[in-house]
């Protein structure tokens, strides 16, 4: 029995309700934002999961993480998406796609063995458009609540406000289909959606024209700041719409060289990233606002961390002290 449980049972045994109130007050001081699950987006450590998914999940649990977020492609992704990933996979010196030699059902069992959950999973827009049913069926054994698009690579789909309204309609349709599986569609900001059209950003258009019953958002604080926007302001402006947060810090200020819409611009930012709490961002303030705004899942995501184990341990220590 855990020490905290023993203490609570002892308090109830002696009828010390006033002592229990004191215990709760102390707990609130230690964890001012409530008990929060800290997770890892696996793109932080792609080499580790590629080499040994089971061992990596054990390591995450041993450190204290309680959630993971997978990235695709998956065996049931669209064939074109799998082929497009091959070039990137070679650059990253990865051998496997998710689930790294396991089936979705086997992966679900691995997660249970290591007391981990996967509340969200990243996929691609092509698979949603051309292979939605098989994709959702394939993901179902993992039991995710959110299916996330991390970026829209085709700039022709996001040229103006009208394009963003069309995307919002499409996102609503995705969400309606996902609802049948107990899932919601999620869009993850990547920078380009902060371009302004008649005083309104693309991200604002998406937020205002999607149905919160079907569509939610994942806020990546690094990419938002790289576009010159402020995470705290967005969390305040749209309470209840950002259910997931990607947390990474910056060693120095970074702004996109262009509109933030191409992989080469994102890769320029990778060397400027830092473990949460070790950089220039006020991570604790962003987490506090996120908790107030309705964020349910907080993921470490330092893209392609150069020292994976160091980042995992250091980030958990820093983040755990902030919650």
């Amino acid at each position: 029995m855990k020490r905290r449980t023993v203490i609570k049972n002892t308090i109830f045994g002696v009828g010390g309700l006033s002592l229990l109130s004191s215990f709760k007050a102390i707990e609130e001081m230690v964890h001012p934002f409530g008990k929060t699950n800290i997770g890892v987006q696996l793109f932080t450590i792609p080499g580790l999961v590629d080499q040994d998914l089971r061992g990596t999940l054990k390591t995450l649990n041993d450190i204290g993480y309680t959630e993971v977020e997978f990235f695709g492609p998956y065996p049931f992704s669209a064939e074109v998406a799998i082929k497009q990933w091959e070039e990137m996979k070679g650059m990253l010196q990865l051998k496997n796609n998710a689930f790294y030699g396991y089936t979705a059902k086997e992966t679900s069992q691995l997660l249970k063995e290591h007391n981990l959950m996967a509340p969200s999973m990243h996929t691609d827009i092509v698979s949603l458009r051309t292979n939605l049913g098989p994709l959702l069926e394939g993901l179902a054994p993992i039991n995710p609540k959110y299916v996330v698009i991390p970026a829209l690579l085709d700039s022709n789909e996001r040229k103006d406000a009208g394009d963003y309204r069309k995307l919002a309609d499409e996102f609503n349709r995705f969400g309606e289909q996902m609802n049948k599986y107990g899932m919601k569609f999620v869009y993850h900001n990547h920078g380009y959606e902060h371009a302004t059209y008649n005083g309104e950003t693309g991200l604002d258009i998406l937020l205002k024209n999607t149905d919160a019953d079907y569509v939610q958002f994942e806020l990546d604080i690094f990419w938002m700041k790289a576009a010159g926007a402020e995470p705290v302001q967005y969390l305040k402006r749209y309470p209840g719409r950002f259910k997931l947060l990607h947390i990474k810090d910056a060693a120095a200020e970074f702004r996109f060289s262009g509109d933030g819409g191409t992989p080469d611009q994102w890769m320029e930012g990778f060397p400027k990233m830092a473990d949460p709490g070790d950089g220039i961002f006020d991570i604790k303030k962003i987490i506090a606002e996120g908790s107030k705004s309705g964020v349910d899942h907080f993921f470490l995501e330092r893209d392609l961390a150069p020292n994976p184990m160091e980042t995992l341990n250091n980030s958990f220590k820093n983040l755990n002290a902030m919650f």
Side-chain angles (χ1 to χ4, degrees):
M1 187 177 291
K2 293 182 178 179
R3 184 179 178 187
R4 183 173 292 176
T5 305
V6 172
I7 293 171
K8 287 185 177 181
N9 287 347
T10 304
I11 290 170
F12 277 119
V14 299
L17 294 179
S18 61
L19 288 177
L20 179 58
S21 298
S22 298
F23 179 87
K24 287 180 177 177
I26 292 170
E27 191 171 56
E28 287 172 4
M29 289 172 63
V30 175
H31 298 285
F33 311 134
K35 294 178 182 177
T36 305
N37 292 323
I38 302 174
V40 180
Q41 160 53 249
L42 296 179
F43 197 62
T44 304
I45 50 170
L48 296 185
V49 292
D50 183 57
Q51 293 168 18
D52 182 6
L53 177 62
R54 181 191 291 272
T56 301
L57 295 180
K58 180 183 185 304
T59 295
L60 294 178
N61 176 250
D62 289 344
I63 292 171
Y65 292 101
T66 56
E67 297 182 339
V68 297
E69 185 177 57
F70 284 93
F71 65 93
Y74 309 101
F76 29 77
S77 296
E79 191 62 34
V80 64
I82 294 173
K83 287 180 178 178
Q84 287 173 348
W85 174 246
E86 284 302 307
E87 183 178 353
M88 177 64 75
K89 191 166 70 172
M91 289 172 57
L92 298 178
Q93 297 183 326
L94 302 177
K95 296 179 180 178
N96 303 293
N97 298 338
F99 300 97
Y100 314 103
Y102 296 92
T103 66
K105 191 173 291 187
E106 289 167 342
T107 301
S108 176
Q109 187 57 40
L110 288 179
L111 291 169
K112 289 175 184 174
E113 285 176 14
H114 299 293
N115 299 309
L116 294 166
M117 298 183 68
S120 57
M121 304 182 74
H122 280 207
T123 187
D124 62 275
I125 191 75
V126 176
S127 293
L128 293 186
R129 286 172 174 163
T130 66
N131 209 47
L132 182 59
L135 176 72
L136 298 180
E137 291 283 352
L139 295 178
I142 308 290
N143 196 32
K145 185 174 181 181
Y146 301 107
V147 179
V148 187
I149 289 294
L152 294 166
L153 291 173
D154 186 354
S155 60
N156 291 318
E157 294 190 321
R158 44 179 171 79
K159 300 186 304 296
D160 53 37
D163 285 342
Y164 276 99
R165 291 191 183 91
K166 289 178 185 175
L167 287 167
D169 290 341
E170 185 175 35
F171 292 174
N172 284 329
R173 292 194 296 273
F174 289 151
E176 288 177 16
Q177 292 299 310
M178 291 178 186
N179 188 55
K180 299 172 185 176
Y181 293 82
M183 306 175 195
K184 290 180 187 284
F185 174 83
V186 170
Y187 179 76
H188 167 287
N189 64 288
H190 229 298
Y192 51 80
E193 59 282 286
H194 289 284
T196 302
Y197 311 97
N198 297 319
E200 213 172 22
T201 69
L203 185 57
D204 288 317
I205 294 170
L206 293 176
L207 282 155
K208 292 175 182 177
N209 290 276
T210 48
D211 187 335
D213 287 339
Y214 302 121
V215 179
Q216 295 291 351
F217 291 78
E218 182 168 54
L219 194 159
D220 188 299
I221 66 178
F222 185 92
W223 299 129
M224 185 171 279
K225 280 184 164 286
E230 286 299 325
V232 168
Q233 292 178 8
Y234 265 86
L235 290 165
K236 285 181 176 179
R237 195 181 308 160
Y238 298 101
R241 295 309 305 277
F242 293 97
K243 291 298 183 183
L244 309 102
L245 196 67
H246 272 183
I247 308 172
K248 46 184 169 263
D249 217 324
E253 186 171 337
F254 172 74
R255 289 289 185 273
F256 290 121
S257 56
D259 67 353
T262 54
D264 60 304
Q265 294 179 64
W266 306 334
M267 291 177 73
E268 288 172 2
F270 290 173
K272 298 292 181 70
M273 293 177 182
D275 295 347
D278 285 356
I280 62 174
F281 295 164
D282 190 342
I283 300 291
K284 187 169 184 176
K285 181 178 180 180
I286 296 170
I287 288 173
E289 194 59 48
S291 296
K292 257 195 286 185
S293 178
V295 174
D296 291 327
H297 305 281
F298 297 80
F299 292 104
L300 160 69
E301 190 204 37
R302 182 176 176 181
D303 307 54
L304 306 175
N307 299 295
M309 286 304 304
E310 181 181 319
T311 285
L312 288 175
N313 283 291
N314 185 49
S315 298
F316 183 82
K317 173 178 67 70
N318 291 348
L319 290 171
N320 197 44
M322 296 181 195
F323 284 101

